Amino acid sequence: MQSKRRIALSAVAGALGLAGFSGAWAQASPDCGLNTGKPATGEPIPIGAVVGKTGPDDFSASGQAAAAYFKCVNANGGIHGRPVDYLVLDDQWNPETAAQVASKLVKDRKVVALVGSTSFVECGANAKMYADEGVMVIAGTGVPRECFNARNYVPVNAGPRVSATIAAMYAAQKYKAKKMVCIIPNIPSLGNWACEGPKEWGRKNGVTVETLTIDPGSADATSTMLQAAAKKPDTIIMNVPKGILVPMLAAAEQQNLGKKIHFVSAAPAYNVDVPKAIGPYWKGNFDVNLEFNPLESAGPDNKNWLAVMDRHGAKSDPRDTFSQAGYLAARLATQAMLKMDPKKIDRAGVTDALRKVSDFRSDILCKPFYVGSGNRHNANNSGPMASPDGNGWRFAPGGCLTADDPELVDIRADEQKMGLK
C-alpha cells in the first residue's frame, strides 16, 4: 500500500510544473537585494528548507531556485552585510524523515525561517512544531490540504483546489456549462478536497459538479474517460498530473469526446510539452488554469528570475513553475529582512517581519501577495487561462481570474482586515 501511495505521489509531483524551459528571456544581470556587487562577509543568517528530493521523484526545484536567489543576494551585500546561510534538507517523501530534518533545522540549527520548502508530506508532519516554535515557512509549492491550513505555513502557489475552481468558473463563463465531472487522484489530503472547490462553487451558481477519483498508480485512461462521459457532463475538469492527463486526452480523442464535451484543467496541464503531446485535435477544445503568469512572459521580475537562475543556479536546475515559486519565496523573505535592523535579525523578529508582509508585488503573480496573521494562508488565489494552439499556448483574453471558492471566506475576511481587495 505504501509503495502504491509513493508511486501515486511521484506521478503528481512530476507533473505539477513545467520542464525544459530555457532562459531565453533572461536579462543580462540579475537584480538581488542591495545590488552592491560586493560579497557579504558578516555574521551568517541561518535559513532552511525541507524538500522531497529523493524517493519517488525529485521535488526540489523551489529549493534550488531559492538557493540561487540567496547566492545572488550574498554576492550583492547580503542582508545589510550579513550573508544568508541556506540549508536545504531532503525529507525523502517520508513523514518521519520530514519531522526529523525539520527538527534539525528548527531546534538544532536555530533557523530564523524556512523558505522555498516543497513537499507532499512535510506540511502535515511539521505544521504544529512550526507553530509551537514560532518559526514561519514561506513555502515554494503547496499541494495537500495541510499546506494551506496552517498558521505558520505560507505557500506561494495557489494550490490544486483553487486552480480547479477557476477552471470550473471559466467553463461556466465561456461555455455556459451546467454539469461537470472533476477527475482527481485519490491521494490522501488531495483526493476529494481539490474537487470540492468546484463543487461548492457550483452549488452557489447552479452548476452540478461530481467527483471521479482515480488511482494514479493504475489508472486506465479509456475506462476513466468512459466513466466520466457516462455521467453526461457538458464539461470535464482534469485535475491530474501530465503523465495521466496526456493518455486520458488521447482516450477521449479516440471516443471523439472533445466534440461533445468541453475539457478544462487545473494547473498541472500547463506544461511546455503538452500542446504537441496531445496534438491538433485539442486546439481550441481544452482550457487550462495557471497558478502564475506564463514562464515566457516578458515582465521584469519574470526576466529577473531567469537571470538569477542562469547566473547563480545550475544548468540542470529546472526553469519551471516550481522554480518561479521558490524564487518568489526567497525574494519575499529577503525583502522583509532588509527592512529589519541587521543586528536584530532573529527568529522572533523575522517571524514578525514576515507576518507584516502585506503588499509583495511581482509580475509573476496576478495580484499583490501577503502573509498576515491569519490561521491559514492562500493569498495566491488568481490565475490566467490558456489553451493549446498546436505548438504552444494561447492565453485567454481578460487576464487573471480570481477563485470564488467558498472555502476562501476566511481568507477574504483576513484581506478585508488588512485593507486588501
Side-chain angles (χ1 to χ4, degrees):
M1 180 70 180
Q2 181 67 16
S3 175
K4 181 179 285 188
R5 181 182 176 188
R6 284 165 73 88
I7 292 170
L9 291 173
S10 173
V12 176
L16 283 171
L18 296 149
F21 186 73
S22 69
W25 287 87
Q27 59 194 37
S29 298
D31 180 346
C32 302
L34 295 172
N35 289 311
T36 64
K38 298 179 180 180
T41 58
E43 181 185 358
I45 301 169
I47 292 177
V50 177
V51 302
K53 182 171 179 58
T54 59
D57 197 11
D58 185 346
F59 196 35
S60 62
S62 288
Q64 293 166 351
Y69 188 81
F70 286 136
K71 285 179 183 177
C72 187
V73 169
N74 291 345
N76 284 278
I79 307 300
H80 296 297
R82 297 183 62 182
V84 173
D85 183 10
Y86 186 57
L87 179 62
V88 181
L89 295 182
D90 179 13
D91 67 22
Q92 302 174 26
W93 293 64
N94 183 306
E96 292 182 3
T97 304
Q100 291 168 3
V101 298
S103 180
K104 179 178 179 179
L105 289 170
V106 174
K107 297 182 180 180
D108 298 341
R109 194 160 175 270
K110 307 295 185 183
V111 297
V112 299
L114 285 88
V115 178
S117 295
T118 304
S119 168
F120 271 77
V121 298
E122 87 109 356
C123 305
N126 297 320
K128 184 177 184 303
M129 187 266 287
Y130 294 142
D132 290 344
E133 297 292 331
V135 63
M136 291 294 290
V137 182
I138 306 299
T141 307
V143 182
R145 183 180 186 275
E146 291 92 343
C147 298
F148 300 90
N149 283 270
R151 176 170 169 75
N152 284 45
Y153 208 96
V154 186
V156 175
N157 71 315
R161 175 173 172 133
V162 161
S163 188
T165 301
I166 294 174
M169 293 168 58
Y170 185 78
Q173 174 187 324
K174 184 175 180 180
Y175 304 116
K176 311 302 180 186
K178 291 294 184 181
K179 186 175 182 182
M180 306 183 189
V181 172
C182 183
I183 301 175
I184 186 75
N186 59 359
I187 294 172
S189 295
L190 180 63
N192 285 342
W193 169 72
C195 283
E196 283 297 307
K199 187 178 291 187
E200 291 182 18
W201 169 83
R203 290 193 191 106
K204 287 180 20 180
N205 292 277
V207 178
T208 301
V209 181
E210 294 186 59
T211 300
L212 176 59
T213 58
I214 61 168
D215 183 343
S218 59
D220 180 270
T222 299
S223 174
T224 300
M225 286 294 96
L226 290 176
Q227 286 182 62
K231 298 179 182 293
K232 301 189 182 304
D234 48 41
T235 301
I236 291 177
I237 305 168
M238 307 296 291
N239 206 352
V240 300
K242 185 191 77 169
I244 297 173
L245 171 85
V246 172
M248 283 189 176
L249 290 184
E253 181 179 349
Q254 289 178 347
Q255 303 294 325
N256 201 28
L257 297 181
K259 301 302 181 185
K260 310 168 189 176
I261 301 171
H262 302 295
F263 280 71
V264 298
S265 177
Y270 178 51
N271 185 291
V272 293
D273 300 326
V274 164
K276 288 185 179 180
I278 63 178
Y281 177 86
W282 294 100
K283 184 177 181 179
N285 287 356
F286 185 47
D287 302 282
V288 177
N289 175 250
L290 286 60
E291 292 181 301
F292 300 109
N293 279 314
L295 294 178
E296 65 271 32
S297 62
D301 204 31
N302 195 65
K303 292 168 68 177
N304 192 57
W305 154 60
L306 291 169
V308 166
M309 297 308 297
D310 288 349
R311 179 71 64 88
H312 297 280
K315 288 185 178 180
S316 59
D317 290 347
R319 274 65 165 170
D320 61 13
T321 192
F322 296 143
S323 180
Q324 281 179 316
Y327 161 84
L328 288 171
R331 192 167 80 75
L332 182 152
T334 297
Q335 187 171 302
M337 289 188 294
L338 283 173
K339 295 178 181 178
M340 301 175 64
D341 181 339
K343 296 179 181 179
K344 298 180 180 179
I345 293 179
D346 56 17
R347 182 179 297 172
V350 171
T351 294
D352 182 64
L354 290 173
R355 289 201 186 280
K356 289 178 178 176
V357 172
S358 62
D359 192 29
F360 176 75
R361 294 175 180 267
S362 170
D363 48 75
I364 296 172
L365 294 161
C366 283
K367 61 181 184 180
F369 191 85
Y370 64 92
V371 178
S373 58
N375 290 322
R376 72 182 196 90
H377 306 275
N378 206 156
N380 180 355
N381 47 65
S382 300
M385 297 293 297
S387 60
D389 65 4
N391 294 313
W393 292 96
R394 176 181 299 137
F395 296 92
C400 297
L401 299 175
T402 298
D404 184 19
D405 181 354
E407 189 182 60
L408 295 175
V409 62
D410 57 337
I411 299 294
R412 304 297 181 221
D414 289 341
E415 291 174 350
Q416 271 198 325
K417 289 179 184 177
M418 296 174 71
L420 302 173
K421 294 182 179 181

